[in-house]
Amino acid sequence: MERVLTRNIANDPKPINIIAYEANEGYQGLKKAIAELSPEDCESIVKDSKLRGRGGAGFPTGMKWSFVPKGDACSPGHKYLVCNADEMEPGTFKDRLLMEFDPHQLIEGMILSAYTLGADIAYIFIRGEYVVSIQRLRNAIVECYEKNYLGKNILGSGFSLEMYVHPSAGRYICGEETALINALEGKRANPRAKPPFPQVSGLWGRPTIVNNVETLCNITHIIHRGADWFQTLGRGEDSGTKLFGVSGKVNNPGCWELPMGTPVREIIEDCAGGMQPGLELKGFLPGGGSTDFLTNDHLDLAMDYNVIGAAGSRMGTGTMIILDDQTCPVGMVLNLIRFFAQESCGFCTPCRDGLPWTRQVLEDIYNGRGQKEDLETLAYQVRYIGGIGNTHCALAPGAMEPLQSALKYFYSDFEKLIEGSGSHKLIGARG
Amino acid sequence: MKGSVILTDIDSFLSEEELQAIDAELEHVPYKSGAAIDALKIVQSQRGWISDESLAAIARHLEMSIDELEGIATFYNLIYRRPVGERVILFCDSVSCWICGCEKAKEKVSDVLKIGYGETTTDKKYTLLPVPCLGACDRAPVMMVGDELITNLDDAKIEATFNRASSREDC
Ligand SMILES: Cc1cc2nc3c(=O)[nH]c(=O)nc-3n(C[C@H](O)[C@H](O)[C@H](O)COP(=O)(O)O)c2cc1C
Ligand code: SF4
Ligand code: FES
């Protein structure tokens, strides 16, 4: 398979500078766009590529971009491009790799995206803990200014772009795109009501596009090599490649670039080396902590957005978390709910008050104080907190996804703990 | 307490260096409160944490109410409203690390340093805080000590980390 996003990231990766990046076709896409393609051409290419956003929701990137007012339709003033590098979804570890080891790929994708959208200011909103990425991105940006890939009148094109790295002060909700915009404005990161959508009125009330790191890295290659080429990369219905990851008790946890549509089994067995000795696979979250569990019955599914969606879960970030047969599913869900309860921004009642209540019920069950009625309570909470439209943003429904599917697939583990015959204290996740 | 800090010399509380850094941020924002988080980070990078006095002085400089700035300061994980040690340990307690035994590793850290979450060692070198997923789940369990990411934690590695750190500082 052709490596695209990781072509500069070897198995034992070293960070690369602009010279090494350019030696491997780097900034060819930018030069091509400036010489041959109008912003409208670029937008059509991105639309035709059928690229879907890699931040979790899989929204078609070309369509998202089409909502940004352009040319005369846009009132005078700044337009913003924001790279979402917050990566705080539990179990997700792909954007870090792209930024630490090939920062120029992301920056080139951002310059091309800004050119397409007519944005003149770009931010990389990155979690503060990613100190290595922050440093390497900043160095790479300096290199780009020296080459006039950034700054005024880029390569004589008349297009200008300023780019800044903006470390977050830390909170999961900052990854939600409208909350992120509030954080960039120096406020509390409560999500905003939509409409107006950020594409029309985002940062400082101006048109703003927020895209994930991996999405923007793809733009680099789509513009350089075209929409048709990009579509040939996928094995199933979605186009392109994807960084897939596996964590949990497998032999070889890690992150790999594979075609979209690669079956789950290949990722877990061939790349991650299967389960550690003595352990069996019991379930997995396909794409981070806010996706529904799938089980052994789903190993032959293709990692495509619609396929995983039809099975009752979400592709999410494509980084799977494996539940083995010696780890307590109730404990795993409790760990996730604790996280979501803590990271709730506090704006709406079902999330602010409901999630700690769910946590309490799960804690009781996990610690052997559960009652039969608790299972009904959990089902009620799933409906109430997880109901679309009951909360202001997707954090609360996302929090309910692992719980609702655990109740579906691992109901007997909940029951056993309530009846007092559960044994997680002996063989739980303690080591 | 909050909102009632009385500073007689509030105008000279922030150093020249801090003021310059904050004013540089103001150039990127249409109104002063837009630099609130940046200002908190700047002052924290100088003083280690945000005291009530710092909060009041920043609020005054940015023409915000103290309460409004407090609402922002307390919202974010990496703004510290209490003193922290020289190095903050950000210990991942999220799902993949949990599966891979972070609770045991955390007990080991607590044993070695004699502190729990939210506490600082008596020599003021370390503060231990839980943090959501550090994006290194394939190398779980993990923690950050200051700027350094330490992966695949086990007893030996934890001991080595803190023994090495203390011997380095002794010499
Ligand atoms: C609570 C919450 C947290 C999120 N965190 C992230 C994140 O860390 N990184 C990210 O790219 N998208 C995150 N998203 C999704 C963003 O809102 C947004 O959809 C995404 O950045 C769009 O990028 P894409 O179109 O390129 O996928 C989060 C969403 C929610 C509701
Ligand atoms: S669902 Fe939760 S995180 Fe989202 S706006 Fe409501 S309280 Fe905030
Ligand atoms: S869960 Fe600990 S680094 Fe991701």
Side-chain angles (χ1 to χ4, degrees):
Chain A
M1 188 220 75
E2 179 177 3
R3 301 220 310 193
V4 180
L5 299 170
T6 57
R7 77 198 193 293
N8 290 323
I9 307 177
N11 292 337
D12 179 22
K14 309 227 166 12
I16 67 166
N17 61 13
I18 198 163
I19 297 168
Y21 180 74
E22 292 203 292
N24 193 6
E25 299 186 28
Y27 292 108
Q28 295 296 319
L30 176 63
K31 287 175 185 155
K32 172 179 158 184
I34 279 171
E36 302 168 18
L37 302 171
S38 67
E40 296 75 29
D41 295 335
C42 293
E43 191 175 317
S44 311
I45 296 172
V46 172
K47 227 181 237 165
D48 293 344
S49 75
K50 303 210 170 79
L51 171 67
R52 297 180 66 164
R54 305 300 197 226
F59 195 82
T61 306
M63 195 197 297
K64 185 165 173 175
W65 288 11
S66 69
F67 301 134
V68 176
K70 301 183 189 81
D72 292 343
C74 186
S75 54
H78 294 302
K79 275 197 258 180
Y80 297 97
L81 171 72
V82 181
C83 169
N84 190 343
D86 201 45
E87 191 156 77
M88 283 182 77
E89 172 91 357
T92 300
F93 52 101
K94 62 183 184 74
D95 297 339
R96 177 201 273 271
L97 187 80
L98 292 169
M99 293 186 288
E100 281 191 5
F101 296 110
D102 201 358
H104 280 289
Q105 171 174 248
L106 171 61
I107 292 168
E108 182 174 4
M110 289 182 69
I111 301 170
L112 286 166
S113 305
Y115 174 72
T116 307
L117 296 160
D120 59 338
I121 299 183
Y123 289 100
I124 302 174
F125 185 92
I126 182 168
R127 63 180 298 187
E129 292 92 344
Y130 279 8
V131 282
V132 174
S133 301
I134 290 169
Q135 197 49 52
R136 291 184 185 164
L137 284 163
R138 284 190 167 144
N139 293 345
I141 287 173
V142 170
E143 291 179 316
C144 284
Y145 274 102
E146 284 166 3
K147 289 252 183 182
N148 191 218
Y149 297 159
L150 283 172
K152 298 245 164 345
N153 189 19
I154 294 172
L155 303 177
S157 63
F159 161 65
S160 301
L161 178 66
E162 304 295 330
M163 190 177 288
Y164 306 98
V165 177
H166 187 104
S168 170
R171 209 57 202 271
Y172 170 62
I173 193 61
C174 294
E176 197 281 338
E177 59 184 13
T178 59
L180 187 160
I181 289 169
N182 275 338
L184 270 178
E185 290 187 3
K187 301 181 184 141
R188 284 170 72 101
N190 294 112
R192 293 181 178 178
K194 298 189 232 185
F197 288 91
Q199 290 96 314
V200 179
S201 175
L203 187 59
W204 314 116
R206 297 294 307 165
T208 304
I209 277 282
V210 181
N211 275 126
N212 173 257
V213 172
E214 192 183 352
T215 311
L216 292 163
C217 288
N218 273 299
I219 299 295
T220 304
H221 307 285
I222 290 171
I223 300 291
H224 182 206
R225 302 180 64 180
D228 293 340
W229 164 81
F230 189 71
Q231 291 193 53
T232 62
L233 297 173
R235 269 170 73 169
E237 54 189 64
D238 283 322
S239 53
T241 60
K242 172 94 191 68
L243 293 189
F244 291 111
V246 180
S247 66
K249 291 192 171 173
V250 290
N251 284 310
N252 180 33
C255 182
W256 308 272
E257 181 181 8
L258 297 164
M260 284 297 288
T262 300
V264 175
R265 188 187 297 281
E266 280 183 34
I267 302 172
I268 296 178
E269 290 177 4
D270 300 348
C271 298
M275 300 303 294
Q276 288 176 12
L279 298 179
E280 307 238 351
L281 186 135
K282 180 162 176 148
F284 63 96
L285 304 176
S290 62
T291 58
D292 284 87
F293 278 102
L294 295 175
T295 67
N296 278 298
D297 295 339
H298 303 105
L299 291 177
D300 293 312
L301 294 182
M303 284 293 265
D304 270 330
Y305 290 100
N306 293 344
V307 174
I308 299 297
S313 186
R314 289 191 303 121
M315 260 270 291
T317 58
T319 45
M320 305 174 197
I321 310 159
I322 307 290
L323 169 69
D324 57 83
D325 64 340
Q326 312 265 315
T327 294
C328 177
V330 181
M332 179 165 166
V333 173
L334 169 60
N335 176 280
L336 289 163
I337 292 288
R338 253 188 208 144
F339 162 82
F340 289 114
Q342 181 191 307
E343 293 299 322
S344 164
C345 83
F347 185 81
C348 30
T349 313
C351 179
R352 182 192 58 241
D353 292 352
L355 290 177
W357 180 26
T358 310
R359 182 192 62 206
Q360 187 59 54
V361 174
L362 285 168
E363 249 158 17
D364 285 347
I365 297 176
Y366 187 64
N367 292 317
R369 296 190 303 266
Q371 311 278 323
K372 266 233 131 62
E373 305 80 73
D374 289 345
L375 289 168
E376 279 157 45
T377 308
L378 289 175
Y380 167 76
Q381 289 168 340
V382 165
R383 283 197 307 278
Y384 179 59
I385 303 171
I388 300 296
N390 287 0
T391 56
H392 189 52
C393 89
L395 183 141
M400 288 297 119
E401 291 185 18
L403 173 60
Q404 73 182 7
S405 48
L407 287 169
K408 180 158 128 200
Y409 295 120
F410 312 126
Y411 198 79
S412 63
D413 291 275
F414 287 81
E415 281 180 327
K416 275 185 214 151
L417 283 172
I418 289 172
E419 286 157 11
S421 58
S423 52
H424 68 85
K425 290 280 179 216
L426 298 174
I427 54 169
R430 298 209 146 232
Chain B
M1 282 293 288
K2 149 179 102 155
S4 64
V5 198
I6 297 169
L7 278 174
T8 45
D9 52 354
I10 187 162
D11 291 318
S12 60
F13 184 82
L14 296 174
S15 70
E16 228 13 77
E17 203 183 345
E18 286 166 331
L19 287 171
Q20 270 178 17
I22 293 171
D23 291 344
E25 293 298 334
L26 289 179
E27 288 174 22
H28 297 286
V29 293
Y31 40 85
K32 288 186 171 184
S33 63
I37 300 171
D38 298 305
L40 289 165
K41 283 201 278 191
I42 288 164
V43 173
Q44 178 165 293
S45 73
Q46 297 294 313
R47 303 175 191 235
W49 66 295
I50 300 295
S51 64
D52 289 350
E53 289 79 5
S54 298
L55 193 80
I58 298 168
R60 170 131 161 174
H61 189 65
L62 298 181
E63 295 167 8
M64 302 171 70
S65 76
I66 293 176
D67 285 342
E68 191 185 356
L69 188 64
E70 173 81 317
I72 295 168
T74 51
F75 187 87
Y76 291 99
N77 298 337
L78 301 178
I79 303 291
Y80 306 131
R81 282 290 278 118
R82 279 197 276 162
V84 292
E86 275 164 48
R87 265 182 260 177
V88 175
I89 303 167
L90 297 176
F91 193 91
C92 175
D93 65 355
S94 286
V95 64
S96 307
C97 287
W98 179 81
I99 291 170
C100 294
C102 72
E103 288 184 346
K104 202 169 137 246
K106 189 264 162 187
E107 278 165 29
K108 181 70 187 175
V109 172
S110 286
D111 271 1
V112 172
L113 296 177
K114 313 268 176 298
I115 47 172
Y117 281 141
E119 294 174 355
T120 300
T121 52
T122 44
D123 62 5
K124 306 241 179 338
K125 283 209 172 114
Y126 298 105
T127 298
L128 179 61
L129 298 175
V131 73
C133 178
L134 284 169
C137 328
D138 52 340
R139 293 168 281 169
V142 305
M143 65 176 171
M144 285 184 80
V145 179
D147 280 352
E148 192 186 356
L149 179 72
I150 303 173
T151 60
N152 297 119
L153 294 177
D154 57 23
D155 285 1
K157 209 154 190 181
I158 291 165
E159 270 167 24
T161 300
F162 296 114
N163 291 339
R164 183 198 60 193
S166 54
S167 59
R168 190 168 60 200
E169 276 145 26
D170 289 345
C171 60

